[in-house]
Amino acid sequence: MRTIFVLFDSLNRLAIGAYGGTTIATPNFDRFARRARTFTQHYAGSLPCIPARRDLHTGRLNFTHRSWGPLEPFDNSFADLLSKQGVYTHLVSDHAHYFENGGWGYANAFDSWNFIRGQEGDPMHVMTVPPVQRLQEQYDERHYPFGSIAADGGNVTEGNTPRKELRRLRHAVNRLVMQDEEDFPTARCFASAFDFLDVNRQNDDWFLQLECFDPHEPFTAPERFRDAYQSGYEGGILDWPRYEKLAETEQEIREIRGNYAALVAMCDEYFGRLLDWMDEEDAWTDTALVLSTDHGFLLGEHEWWAKNRMPYYEEISHIPLMIWHPEQKGESGECDALSQTADLMPTFLDFHGVDAPPEVTAHSLKPLLSGGDNERESAILGMFAGPICIVDGRYSYFHFPVDVEAHLPAYTVMPSHMVTLFEPAELRNISLSRPFDFTKGMPLLRIPQVEEVNESGYDLVRNWTEGSTLFDLSNDPQQQSPVDDPEVIARMQAGICWHLDRQDAPAECYVHYGLPLPEQRNAECGADARLA
């Protein structure tokens, strides 16, 4: 058995024709949908990027215990488990977060990996004194704030440059050397993947994860893809939206959306080359192919750009998933069973005949490929300390913390933020907790959060003043009009409690959200809360 898992980043479900999208031509995603099982009720879990990948590796949610961070020593990675059972695992990725302090362990869980340089703020092309003034003339200051760097004579180091400005300057410098299409990271990712496939085309028992950071911002695509989505805009480059409220003109909005569309079109074409390889090698008979993403991205919907600063609207949380398995025996078309990112871990193990460890709380999707059921009735998702969203196929309910200023402690033995390690001040009041049911007997560090970091949900909570909110997706799929239904809300809150119990959430988590602790709930409430 062989498996190819293609993971794009920030691929909006409604950017794909097979999911009802009409603004971007995606002939190859649609071509795959005609063969595969297309999951129509697939959701994210822990958000954003690296928390989503920890769910993916471990088969359980992690946002209830900590925010962004590495794989923990007690974590079960599907890549490592497959390798131990004789399945060779290989990763091709241009996801630079894997090589920051907060992303260690994920690539290392594979037998081998190839890191493609140059995405986002990855310092691939190094210029100690970049041509900031020339770059200022090309880029819009709102997306590329180079003013302070120019005032400092172009001197850029980690120590003297704000991180946001530094990452965007590094991207602009990288673009100076991306002259031809084959220089772009997505093109190089697929080239590396085809190298692996061509060398191992006759071999069995391998797993390839082909992971492209595109179409994550910055929305940079070769010109031939951009030609189909011209907006008429003539100003500086606008391709890296601020994580803020909408404040652009209609033409600027069209320009940003056009840049995103061009990048999706590039992803679609290169994915089509993989489909061609499957056809040419007759690999459909012995190779599973899975396509998904980690989360979506707001492109002006709900008057917002991006993610992390607003509720996890459907555009962010409701994501694409398509699966082909040789044993499907003609079972293609849509599957409306509820699923989420963590379910892919036991699914991959199931594909290769490997049992899931007892710590896994997700469900294998393999039975759904042949008309079976995974028995999931609801799913929760969220960011650490942000609202918990629960979905059940009809309703989407956002349950917010009861105290906007309250801080949750983090539980981890790998204290790292996205880029930096925890500061000494953050570690001065640590204590040891009890082991959780997934830590294999290890106690964890309980770390009070002395400052709020952008990979947590604190900003989101402050930005939303309307409190917990219920949407009826069957009547309001765009989530424009909240509904007040106390019976449904009570059922959703009970469902959140059930999921928190299943994840062995710390006591502070229940208190943070004003939910009863397990020992405070009576048997009737527990029975009513069985939303798996």
Side-chain angles (χ1 to χ4, degrees), residues 344-399:
L344 289 176
M345 183 268 199
T347 302
F348 294 149
L349 296 181
D350 203 0
F351 281 2
H352 292 270
V354 177
D355 292 334
E359 295 82 12
V360 171
T361 58
H363 306 259
S364 171
L365 303 179
K366 187 179 178 185
L368 296 174
L369 302 179
S370 301
D373 188 7
N374 69 348
E375 300 182 355
R376 179 187 285 281
E377 296 178 19
S378 71
I380 63 169
L381 57 102
M383 294 177 69
F384 179 78
I388 296 176
C389 175
I390 182 169
V391 293
D392 67 357
R394 174 173 178 177
Y395 293 99
S396 173
Y397 173 65
F398 298 100
H399 186 80

Side-chain angles (χ1 to χ4, degrees), residues 231-345:
S231 68
Y233 171 77
E234 296 180 352
I237 293 173
L238 285 169
D239 63 4
W240 200 329
R242 304 163 300 158
Y243 284 40
E244 295 178 8
K245 279 279 192 178
L246 202 66
E248 288 77 8
T249 67
E250 285 298 321
Q251 188 176 56
E252 290 168 343
I253 293 170
R254 287 196 299 273
E255 173 68 10
I256 298 169
R257 289 175 173 173
N259 285 325
Y260 178 80
L263 201 50
V264 171
M266 181 182 186
C267 294
D268 176 81
E269 178 170 312
Y270 277 81
F271 183 71
R273 298 182 187 186
L274 177 60
L275 299 183
D276 293 341
W277 184 91
M278 295 285 290
D279 290 340
E280 293 162 5
E281 297 295 323
D282 194 26
W284 303 107
T285 61
D286 60 8
T287 306
L289 178 58
V290 180
L291 169 71
S292 194
T293 191
D294 50 359
H295 51 69
F297 192 90
L298 287 176
L299 292 162
E301 302 90 349
H302 307 281
E303 301 298 312
W304 275 97
W305 293 111
K307 58 185 188 290
N308 299 356
R309 301 290 187 266
M310 71 298 292
Y312 328 111
Y313 290 113
E314 289 281 286
E315 292 87 350
I316 297 170
S317 62
H318 194 172
I319 58 178
L321 172 66
M322 302 179 195
I323 300 178
W324 163 261
H325 189 283
E327 295 178 7
Q328 285 176 220
K329 299 177 181 176
E331 286 281 351
S332 60
E334 293 184 350
C335 175
D336 61 1
L338 200 62
S339 61
Q340 63 180 145
T341 298
D343 292 332
L344 289 176
M345 183 268 199

Side-chain angles (χ1 to χ4, degrees), residues 438-456:
F438 56 90
T439 64
K440 301 175 182 173
M442 295 183 209
L444 300 187
L445 300 175
R446 181 186 184 277
I447 308 176
Q449 299 289 275
V450 298
E451 66 177 57
E452 294 144 19
V453 291
N454 63 5
E455 66 259 25
S456 298

